Amino acid sequence: MTDTLTTVTPRGTDRHAAARDHLWGHFTRQSAWAEQVPTIVRGEGHHIWDDRGRKYIDGLAGLFVVQAGHGRAELAERARQQAEELAFFPLWSYAHPQAIDLAERLAHHAPGDLNRVFFTTGGGEAVETAWKLAKQYWKLVGKPGKHKVISRAVAYHGTTQGALSITGIPALKAPFEPLVPSTQRVPNTNRYRAPEDLRDDPEAFGRWAADRIAEAIEFEGPETVAAVFLEPVQNAGGCFPPPPGYFQRVREICDRYDVLLVSDEVICAFGRIGEIFACSDFGYVPDMITCAKGLTSGYSPIGATVVSDRVYEPFRTGDATFYHGYTFGGHPVSAAVAMANLDIFEREGLTQRVHENAPLFRAELESLLDLPIVGDVRGAGYFYGIELVKDTATRETFSEAESERLLRDFLSPALFEAGLYCRADDRGDPVVQLAPPLTCGPAEFAEIGQILRGVLGEAWARL
């Protein structure tokens, strides 16, 4: 523990000063590091510790990643063993046993005819892969005009130029425009903000939202649309679950217009909703699945695009080649850790645990609806968002300036100070997001709920 809490770098510099001078935080307002840089040094189970020795509940599983919890020695040991045996070899014209075994295992879990796995090192790369693959697929089958993508408003799909183009959050895109053209947005499944006549009829709302996809395909021209990218539960904006029948309707629409359906499960796969792949939770079979994060529970980076036999078919024989790849895609160490992680899933019944405990997690969070600042609680499995409002009767939200003061100036530091690491998010209306490790249960839910109640109550008092 003493070594872990060392406050100087190997060069003898104060760590916080070194962070301010040299480290560039991801999605971080660097001015927030002017005084102190929050520094996490250790994790065990569902807890993390900072360099002051303070303990926190990891209410976000790192970043929707640490499904099996922190401090899993067997995953670290498996990485060490594999590094000694074969530390690296690419999948460029060659294979290695770890990638073969993991591809087979993922195909076994995937629904329908999704039997082919293309490995990446992360989720954005998996999304980029899916779009490029869709474009080339349509060229190979004689429909070269099909290149456009449809996705949903406020949805986040990654940071590469292609994945960011598919993303539906204008503020994240603006600094990097012009981006890749040919992407269109449709409404998401936020029933709390749905048209008033549809709020009380989830099935009607689901059909309305799905039909907007058909409308967009018609507007763009079916001969130009390659794919629809959808998360099973949309992350950005605060965990929008699909209404009943939504994905079945989307599947019908994609089949009717000959458009590929991509299930972006970078967050939702590997038990976050319940099953290994969340499309199975909601009863639909896509043409491709993109995944990453929870595949190794964060112990080593890896991602994947899982592809149907139909999409793979043009590449199966002849000289057709998918000229796309990543040096570290399907890395032997990461693939070995992923196999060990999935062993934990099976041995400890983590997916079943989520199914059993998810109603208890929902009930704990829904108990916060009696607070005047809580407008909506929504999500599925171990993945929830709490939308904050100024008036629960009218659903009035906060202005941009008010949201800034609420989330950045108070909620984020106050929740952390109270012992809960989670996400106070303003991509859309202000929300607090929660996605704890799948090893958590009722006791941890109650602790999370108690912290939220205290801090959200204080936030309302300050308003």
Side-chain angles (χ1 to χ4, degrees), residues 90-106:
L91 295 178
W92 299 50
S93 301
Y94 295 85
H96 56 75
Q98 291 69 37
I100 295 169
D101 294 351
L102 182 58
E104 179 188 52
R105 196 165 187 175
L106 292 177

Side-chain angles (χ1 to χ4, degrees), residues 8-81:
V8 296
T9 70
R11 291 181 59 84
T13 311
D14 175 81
R15 273 237 173 83
H16 290 270
R20 288 191 293 270
D21 291 344
H22 303 293
L23 183 62
W24 199 325
H26 297 200
F27 285 92
T28 298
R29 188 175 291 182
Q30 292 299 121
S31 61
W33 283 4
E35 295 181 6
Q36 187 175 28
V37 182
T39 305
I40 305 303
V41 299
R42 188 167 71 90
E44 183 178 337
H46 59 273
H47 286 109
I48 53 175
W49 283 260
D50 68 13
D51 59 356
R52 299 176 294 168
R54 294 201 56 185
K55 179 181 178 182
Y56 307 87
I57 299 174
D58 183 355
L60 204 63
L63 192 63
F64 319 106
V65 170
V66 190
Q67 318 295 61
H70 297 275
R72 290 282 191 165
E74 67 189 275
L75 297 182
E77 176 61 18
R78 184 67 190 94
R80 185 195 65 78
Q81 292 171 351

